[in-house]
Amino acid sequence: MDVLKELEEFRKKDIPYTRVLSSMCTLPHPIAVEAHKMFLNTNLGDPGIFRGTFELEKKLIKMIGEMLHNDIASGYICSGGTEANIQGIRAARNFMKKKNPNIVVPKTAHFSFEKIGDILRVEVRRAKVDEEYKVEVAEVENLVDDSTVAIVGIAGTTELGQIDPIVELSKLAEEKGIWMHVDAAFGGLVIPFMDDPYPFDFVNKGVKSITIDPHKMGMATIPAGGIIFRDQSYLKTLEVETPYLTSKTQYTLTGTRPGTGVASAYAVLKSLGYEGMKKVVKTCLKNTRALVDEMKALNFEPVIEPVMNVVAFKTEKADKIKEELYKREWVISTIRNPRAIRFVIMPHVSEETIKSFIEVFRKVLVEV
Ligand SMILES: Cc1ncc(COP(=O)(O)O)c(C=O)c1O
């Protein structure tokens, strides 16, 4: 068998995005695909060779920095939110230079923070959230001590799309002289395009680093995460010497890394612009509302009224529903607390997709 035919067979087993209502990734924008192809063999691990690609990355970081209200931001495009969070906390730990370091994160933080605790040997303290699933600032303050190197706030939680009180957390971080990291892996490319956006970014003086992923709502090709620092000095805490490369030092976690994420993210943001991104976000929010209306008509209550295009509905039968849907090749997810089924309404989830889903969902409800 021709190898490409063989590959096709494997690919056919994948579930198409049109039946995926659980992922924070989406179909790349067509312009992202074109850009990706142009940069297939690029390696930003050796920026002296890939000079143009490196220049493009700087331009993209400047563009993202300005969107985050900071025209001297510094950073790079990495493999995703996990790496970005690792690097944000690693920079905080290196910068703060404390013995037995700890970080304080909301209970709702992404599981990448567990990896961070393990890899970086920092204690991860989890603060309670309130009834709206936002972290309690007083609780964060209680957990902070002389060994705390970072306070983390989330702008767009993985399970509910909620935004923590970043303004208050940043003030607390400033008061205590602690690094503040914002995990906006998902919300970073949603919130700026919403009406009356919550100030989650560098407008808050305490915020030193932000995770923001183009391969989520930025419709870039995978992998494309982003770690952005307030300025160059914070990025410098990550540098190691690179004796045999075209550069003298390297601040990234991986060595060899693709330029495809840079090119595809740049192509999307540049070609759609602010107005284009606003339209994409508006459609996702409208479709989220449409799903909420359908679900309410079926007597399902959202855990919180959706803040962005992530929504969960309470049900004790969450696992059974998910399982039955999966048998029919529809993918949703569940959350831990409270028991609920969760949806992410990405750009690939159209109104028609929601209608088709609800038809299948009704049938599943009869069976569970
Ligand atoms: C808030 C948040 N942070 C970090 C991550 C990790 O991102 P990645 O899977 O790209 O490593 C996710 C993924 O969903 C996320 O929602």
Side-chain angles (χ1 to χ4, degrees), residues 1-14:
M1 204 199 291
D2 178 322
V3 71
L4 293 181
K5 281 244 159 58
E6 187 186 345
L7 294 182
E8 225 175 82
E9 290 307 310
F10 282 102
R11 196 64 180 103
K12 273 190 205 151
K13 293 183 186 174
D14 294 343

Side-chain angles (χ1 to χ4, degrees), residues 139-150:
E139 184 70 13
V140 173
E141 189 165 6
N142 283 340
L143 292 173
V144 161
D145 63 17
D146 289 345
S147 302
T148 305
V149 294

Side-chain angles (χ1 to χ4, degrees), residues 24-25 79-83 85 110-113 154-159 183-186 211 213 215-216 225 342:
M24 289 188 148
C25 288
S79 61
T82 300
E83 183 181 338
N85 283 338
H110 183 260
F111 56 78
S112 49
F113 286 93
I154 312 165
T157 57
T158 313
E159 295 191 325
D183 181 356
F186 186 77
T211 289
D213 288 355
H215 70 198
K216 295 187 169 75
R342 164 188 173 268

Side-chain angles (χ1 to χ4, degrees), residues 64-314:
I64 296 174
E66 281 166 1
M67 194 186 77
L68 300 174
H69 298 102
N70 178 1
D71 55 11
I72 54 161
S74 196
Y76 74 99
I77 297 301
C78 57
S79 61
T82 300
E83 183 181 338
N85 283 338
I86 292 171
Q87 289 288 79
I89 300 303
R90 184 175 152 224
R93 189 201 60 180
N94 293 356
F95 184 85
M96 300 285 296
K97 297 190 177 75
K98 297 267 170 90
K99 248 187 142 184
N100 303 320
N102 70 69
I103 60 172
V104 181
V105 311
K107 268 219 159 90
T108 46
H110 183 260
F111 56 78
S112 49
F113 286 93
E114 285 197 30
K115 301 180 189 178
I116 286 168
D118 186 26
I119 297 168
L120 298 178
R121 294 278 155 218
V122 296
E123 181 197 344
V124 181
R125 299 183 174 174
R126 293 181 178 267
K128 276 199 301 220
V129 293
D130 62 18
E131 67 285 355
E132 289 187 290
Y133 296 85
K134 294 180 187 182
V135 77
E136 285 182 20
V137 180
E139 184 70 13
V140 173
E141 189 165 6
N142 283 340
L143 292 173
V144 161
D145 63 17
D146 289 345
S147 302
T148 305
V149 294
I151 291 174
V152 175
I154 312 165
T157 57
T158 313
E159 295 191 325
L160 294 173
Q162 184 56 284
I163 306 171
D164 284 321
I166 311 281
V167 175
E168 289 78 11
L169 290 174
S170 168
K171 281 190 189 134
L172 176 66
E174 257 193 293
E175 238 172 70
K176 305 258 179 194
I178 298 170
W179 182 294
M180 164 103 195
H181 174 76
V182 176
D183 181 356
F186 186 77
L189 283 161
V190 180
I191 302 165
F193 310 111
M194 291 169 76
D195 296 335
D196 196 17
Y198 178 85
F200 71 100
D201 59 24
F202 291 111
V203 284
N204 301 290
K205 297 275 185 300
V207 174
K208 302 291 188 272
S209 53
I210 299 180
T211 289
I212 174 169
D213 288 355
H215 70 198
K216 295 187 169 75
M217 281 296 287
M219 295 166 290
T221 54
I222 298 169
I227 177 69
I228 316 290
F229 295 94
R230 179 169 280 279
D231 66 49
Q232 181 99 25
S233 66
Y234 299 107
L235 182 65
K236 278 210 164 293
T237 62
L238 298 173
E239 268 182 358
V240 297
E241 287 183 6
T242 50
Y244 54 82
L245 295 181
T246 50
S247 54
K248 287 197 176 65
T249 59
Q250 191 174 82
Y251 43 74
T252 55
L253 186 61
T254 55
T256 302
R257 63 188 179 100
T260 48
V262 169
S264 62
Y266 182 85
V268 174
L269 293 178
K270 175 95 180 191
S271 66
L272 294 194
Y274 179 75
E275 288 307 320
M277 285 300 294
K278 238 184 135 157
K279 261 194 205 155
V280 171
V281 167
K282 199 171 169 184
T283 306
C284 291
L285 296 178
K286 189 177 93 203
N287 290 341
T288 306
R289 229 24 272 172
L291 175 70
V292 171
D293 293 345
E294 294 275 8
M295 293 295 283
K296 281 189 175 171
L298 292 169
N299 290 324
F300 283 87
E301 272 308 305
V303 177
I304 55 166
E305 279 301 323
V307 175
M308 53 185 77
N309 46 332
V310 182
V311 61
F313 300 91
K314 291 179 225 166

